[in-house]
Amino acid sequence: MAAIGVYSTPKMEYVEGRCVSFINSSTSLKLWPMIGRTNFPIQRKRLEVNCSLPNTMSPLESEENAATLSSSDSLEDEFSHVTKFEMSDFKIRNRVSIGLGGRGDEIVFEAMVNDPHSSLYKTRVVLRQLISPRAKRRGHRAIEVLKRLARRKLMYHSYSMQVHGYICSSMIEEKSSFTLVHGHHGSASLRHWLQRSDWLPTLEATLSLDQESVRRVGDDTIGGPAISRQLRLIRILMRDLLIGVNYVHSHGLAHTELRLENLHISAVDKHIKVGILGNASDFNEADPADNTSYDNMDRRRMMIAFDMRCVGFIMAKMVLRELMDPTIFAKFKAFLTKGNDPSCLREFLLHAVKRNSSAGNFGIQILDRNWGAGWHLLSVLLAPKPLDRISCLNALRHPFLCGPKWRVNPSIDLIRWSLGSTTVRIAEEYIYGQQQRSRLAHFVELMEMLNPYPKPKHWLGLLPGKWRLLYCTGRHIGLTLRQPSVRVLIGEAYLTISKVSKPNTTFSVASHISFTVMAGRDWAHDKSGVGGKLQVDSFFRLRAGRRLYLKEETISSSATPDAQASVLKRLSSKKWRKAIPINKIPSSLSVAKLVSDEIDVMMSLNEPLSGNMEVAQKAIQEVRTQIPPEMFDLSKIICGTYLDSRLLVLRSVNGSALFFHRCTNDS
């Protein structure tokens, strides 16, 4: 008797019947023509009826069917650790939360398990129907990696989005549907939380912040100013995220898709759930491009570094809510893509983010707290070299994520960063009283003690760039207590250092000073006037040198020796001796000696003063009075005593220090 099968496909408007008969294995195949065509507006299905004689299958076809069945069984065995559901096990809800939105090749449903025999009975779940083959591979991968993650059930249930099972009509047919069944951990992703105008009080209420919850981040208070509340909440979220990512890394996997859209906050256990690991990558896989194996350790570091960069972007958006604007975030990513050092992010964001933004600049204030610890964590998360990025465990020990009740032993690198950030903050206040001047000189001396690059060979790659003058420990002369013939307001002062091709240790240095000549009498209130520029060019040769510290009996009453004596006293104390491993205060320090050449001076004034030589002479004289003399006469700069990726300290022949901050082209 002939076997009859029915195959239906949607989106067809007719029924087609065909009969295929086999006379015998040696005869040709006879195909009957289509016998009818009928429109069915309701069912819209296509039926094919195949008639064949039994026991006429070739040995090759039987082997293919056996292989197909075995592959189906093997796939089901691989998914044996999860449940295979039927669509009848769920009651589909008539709406879907916006925070669950998937990709273009996914269809998302919210459902309730209505099977009384299931352990998930009356549990709210998410059905994610995967359409394209690529989406189905993501679903299969999410189930595969579950075997590793589910070994530690407490960590899995706390920090990972739970995958309950799948719905699949056939495991071998490419056209069969595949639906992933995973947990419902809130109706909104972290992105949707942060986009709310009342996100701070709403998240605090969702997490039910109390004395016990804030104790997890080393704090013992709740409430307070908005900045303190936001910092406390960011610490809780970031620590949860890092614990979840480290949990994934500890099982030999990299998430590779860490974004705000893939993070959900559960109101049940108050934890962040790391999204579905559909694109999780194994640390110990071969590169499919050239069929060669990476070194496992190098591959592991690269994978972890990629995830940590994604964590850095998440932290940046959580702290700086202005980056939720796609336009500003595009500038932020372009700044990093161009090769700029992330340590200069503060200089860039102060110009990119408007000071009158709706967020109130809370993010910049939060990152400035604790001696700029937030900027340091952000810079090591987004470091340009993958091997320089911080790991999850070290990030959890970072002072920015540790409350005031936790003792943290900072590294030397973090101590240097804190000293530099504090010096920058004091210099930006522009209040140069005796107390501020003493503190600035004191911090500059401390930075010079901890110079990370004392040898000139390390300066060859870091010294070139554009440096903005922040402060000078020498004299400061302004306009308030004087009556100059021409009143000049100094704008910005920069040093542009470029490397000359030959010889390698020669640099071209250009001092750029912008100023405004104020002709009106109401200059104290009206700062408008005629703009001008002063440029001084010279060449420097880099040599090795040493800076000698004067003995106590030879120290004069000038500001610099006082600062040196204060530094020596401070470093000898018990507190600083633990932080800075200096057994004995040195009598001299290695510096980069700068040997200058001849200088060229150029000045330009805009209309209408461009042709007035008398005003130009008085203006240049007033500029020389207000700016440090080393910026006009570059030959007075004799050595460099501190250099890192963002800060530079140069010393002049009279002992005063010039403190610079690196600028980028975008700032």
Side-chain angles (χ1 to χ4, degrees):
M1 187 174 181
I4 299 177
V6 179
Y7 172 70
S8 64
T9 57
K11 300 182 181 179
M12 302 299 293
E13 298 182 355
Y14 58 90
V15 175
E16 180 179 321
R18 290 185 181 179
C19 182
V20 184
S21 64
F22 293 91
I23 304 302
N24 52 50
S25 59
S26 62
T27 58
S28 60
L29 176 67
K30 292 184 178 180
L31 180 63
W32 291 71
M34 184 173 61
I35 59 176
R37 177 168 181 166
T38 309
N39 291 333
F40 290 90
I42 298 179
Q43 296 181 356
R44 300 167 65 91
K45 293 185 178 180
R46 172 180 172 177
L47 301 179
E48 291 186 3
V49 181
N50 297 331
C51 304
S52 61
L53 294 175
N55 300 325
T56 58
M57 187 178 296
S58 65
L60 181 60
E61 291 175 342
S62 62
E63 290 179 1
E64 290 179 353
N65 288 342
T68 302
L69 292 175
S70 62
S71 63
S72 175
D73 294 339
S74 63
L75 285 175
E76 291 185 355
D77 290 340
E78 290 182 5
F79 295 167
S80 60
H81 57 287
V82 294
T83 306
K84 182 177 181 180
F85 294 96
E86 300 293 337
M87 206 63 189
S88 58
D89 296 335
F90 303 97
K91 180 181 179 181
I92 306 298
R93 298 170 61 91
N94 57 1
R95 60 185 179 87
V96 178
S97 303
I98 189 174
L100 303 176
R103 309 187 184 197
D105 54 359
E106 298 177 354
I107 302 177
V108 181
F109 304 93
E110 287 188 34
M112 189 77 70
V113 180
N114 58 4
D115 183 9
H117 301 289
S118 174
S119 59
L120 300 174
Y121 182 54
K122 292 187 178 180
T123 302
R124 194 173 177 184
V125 296
V126 177
L127 306 183
R128 195 173 294 270
Q129 185 177 355
L130 309 175
I131 308 299
S132 66
R134 187 173 183 178
K136 293 176 184 178
R137 285 194 296 269
R138 291 198 304 266
H140 292 170
R141 180 61 174 166
I143 296 177
E144 289 173 5
V145 301
L146 184 61
K147 282 185 177 180
R148 302 188 195 177
L149 300 179
R151 294 171 185 171
R152 301 170 63 184
K153 292 186 178 180
L154 180 60
M155 294 291 293
Y156 170 69
H157 289 287
S158 298
Y159 298 102
S160 179
M161 183 172 288
Q162 301 172 28
V163 177
H164 301 303
Y166 63 97
I167 304 172
C168 185
S169 57
S170 175
M171 300 295 293
I172 57 176
E173 294 184 9
E174 295 183 357
K175 295 183 179 181
S176 62
S177 62
F178 187 87
T179 302
L180 195 66
V181 182
H182 62 82
H184 183 277
H185 305 291
S187 301
S189 64
L190 189 54
R191 166 178 286 279
H192 295 90
W193 280 109
L194 296 178
Q195 286 178 335
R196 297 182 55 149
S197 58
D198 58 344
W199 71 276
L200 182 58
T202 307
L203 264 181
E204 287 179 335
T206 303
L207 297 176
S208 302
L209 294 186
D210 53 9
Q211 296 287 349
E212 183 62 30
S213 59
V214 299
R215 202 172 287 125
R216 292 185 302 165
V217 294
D219 209 337
D220 60 348
T221 58
I222 57 176
I227 294 180
S228 300
R229 292 165 54 199
Q230 186 171 340
L231 175 58
R232 191 181 301 118
L233 187 61
I234 288 171
R235 280 174 175 163
I236 292 174
L237 297 178
M238 279 297 298
R239 292 189 70 85
D240 253 21
L241 173 60
L242 287 168
I243 292 173
V245 174
N246 182 68
Y247 162 65
V248 175
H249 290 170
S250 64
H251 288 77
L253 296 169
H255 193 287
T256 72
E257 279 191 326
L258 289 171
R259 297 191 301 268
L260 289 175
E261 297 84 355
N262 294 336
L263 302 177
H264 290 77
I265 301 177
S266 175
V268 178
D269 57 5
K270 322 300 181 188
H271 285 300
I272 278 189
K273 307 295 181 182
V274 180
I276 300 174
L277 279 78
N279 275 341
S281 182
D282 230 323
F283 288 160
N284 301 325
E285 285 183 352
D287 183 18
D290 52 3
N291 294 325
T292 60
S293 298
Y294 283 127
D295 182 77
N296 288 339
M297 187 57 66
D298 291 341
R299 179 181 174 87
R300 175 187 175 88
R301 291 174 181 172
M302 294 293 290
M303 292 285 185
I304 292 177
F306 182 83
D307 276 356
M308 298 312 294
R309 181 179 174 87
C310 297
V311 172
F313 287 135
I314 292 173
M315 173 184 165
K317 289 184 177 181
M318 280 199 295
V319 181
L320 299 163
R321 295 190 60 242
E322 295 87 353
L323 295 180
M324 298 296 290
D325 184 351
T327 304
I328 299 180
F329 185 70
K331 296 179 181 179
F332 177 79
K333 289 195 70 175
F335 171 84
L336 298 173
T337 306
K338 292 177 182 178
N340 295 309
D341 199 294
S343 61
C344 302
L345 270 174
R346 186 178 185 273
E347 185 83 4
F348 165 73
L349 288 173
L350 283 176
H351 296 80
V353 177
K354 297 181 180 179
R355 296 185 179 274
N356 57 351
S357 64
S358 58
N361 269 349
F362 282 180
I364 293 178
Q365 297 180 48
I366 288 173
L367 295 173
D368 281 340
R369 284 195 169 191
N370 299 329
W371 306 283
W375 294 109
H376 181 265
L377 179 58
L378 197 59
S379 67
V380 293
L381 285 171
L382 301 174
K385 296 182 180 179
L387 298 183
D388 292 340
R389 292 175 198 155
I390 195 171
S391 64
C392 289
L393 292 179
N394 291 333
L396 288 169
R397 301 187 186 104
H398 197 276
F400 180 72
L401 299 180
C402 297
K405 293 299 179 181
W406 286 352
R407 286 191 175 183
V408 179
N409 293 325
S411 61
I412 294 297
D413 181 60
L414 187 56
I415 292 175
R416 294 191 192 102
W417 183 281
S418 301
L419 290 173
S421 298
T422 305
T423 308
V424 171
R425 291 293 308 280
I426 298 175
E428 287 178 346
E429 293 176 355
Y430 300 106
I431 303 175
Y432 299 146
Q434 184 59 38
Q435 182 180 3
Q436 284 81 1
R437 291 174 61 82
S438 299
R439 292 180 64 192
L440 284 168
H442 173 73
F443 282 117
V444 169
E445 290 282 353
L446 286 175
M447 291 171 59
E448 291 173 334
M449 289 278 189
L450 303 177
N451 182 19
Y453 303 110
K455 296 183 179 180
K457 65 179 182 180
H458 299 141
W459 288 53
L460 297 177
L462 288 174
L463 187 58
K466 185 178 180 181
W467 300 89
R468 181 168 65 95
L469 178 64
L470 288 180
Y471 182 76
C472 176
T473 58
R475 64 176 185 174
H476 288 260
I477 300 177
L479 290 172
T480 306
L481 303 178
R482 297 185 303 115
Q483 297 293 330
S485 57
V486 176
R487 299 192 180 276
V488 175
L489 179 66
I490 303 295
E492 300 285 358
Y494 296 93
L495 272 186
T496 303
I497 303 176
S498 304
K499 192 174 182 180
V500 180
S501 58
K502 291 183 180 181
N504 295 332
T505 58
T506 302
F507 296 88
S508 65
V509 183
S511 173
H512 302 271
I513 302 168
S514 61
F515 59 89
T516 302
V517 179
M518 299 177 292
R521 295 183 178 180
D522 195 19
W523 62 269
H525 304 284
D526 185 8
K527 304 298 183 183
S528 61
V530 179
K533 294 181 180 179
L534 177 66
Q535 180 174 338
V536 183
D537 298 324
S538 182
F539 288 92
F540 279 101
R541 294 187 303 276
L542 200 61
R543 298 288 185 269
R546 297 195 69 84
R547 182 188 177 203
L548 302 177
Y549 282 94
L550 299 177
K551 295 183 180 180
E552 187 176 356
E553 57 269 15
T554 61
I555 291 179
S556 62
S557 59
S558 61
T560 301
D562 288 343
Q564 295 173 3
S566 174
V567 169
L568 297 180
K569 182 178 179 181
R570 179 66 61 89
L571 291 178
S572 301
S573 64
K574 184 178 180 181
K575 178 181 178 181
W576 282 87
R577 196 178 303 164
K578 291 182 179 180
I580 303 177
I582 298 179
N583 298 326
K584 184 179 179 181
I585 303 300
S587 60
S588 63
L589 291 176
S590 298
V591 296
K593 186 178 179 181
L594 301 174
V595 181
S596 64
D597 205 341
E598 297 181 355
I599 63 172
D600 296 327
V601 181
M602 294 180 293
M603 191 187 76
S604 62
L605 275 175
N606 298 335
E607 295 290 345
L609 300 179
S610 58
N612 194 330
M613 293 299 298
E614 181 180 358
V615 174
Q617 291 177 357
K618 293 180 179 180
I620 193 173
Q621 184 63 32
E622 181 63 20
V623 170
R624 292 192 60 182
T625 303
Q626 294 189 39
I627 67 170
E630 296 81 7
M631 294 295 292
F632 184 81
D633 188 359
L634 297 177
S635 62
K636 293 184 177 182
I637 300 176
I638 59 172
C639 67
T641 56
Y642 183 87
L643 175 67
D644 60 17
S645 58
R646 61 172 182 151
L647 300 177
L648 170 67
V649 177
L650 301 177
R651 287 281 179 176
S652 66
V653 67
N654 63 1
S656 61
L658 280 73
F659 185 60
F660 295 88
H661 193 292
R662 186 187 297 273
C663 294
T664 62
N665 296 330
D666 300 272
S667 59

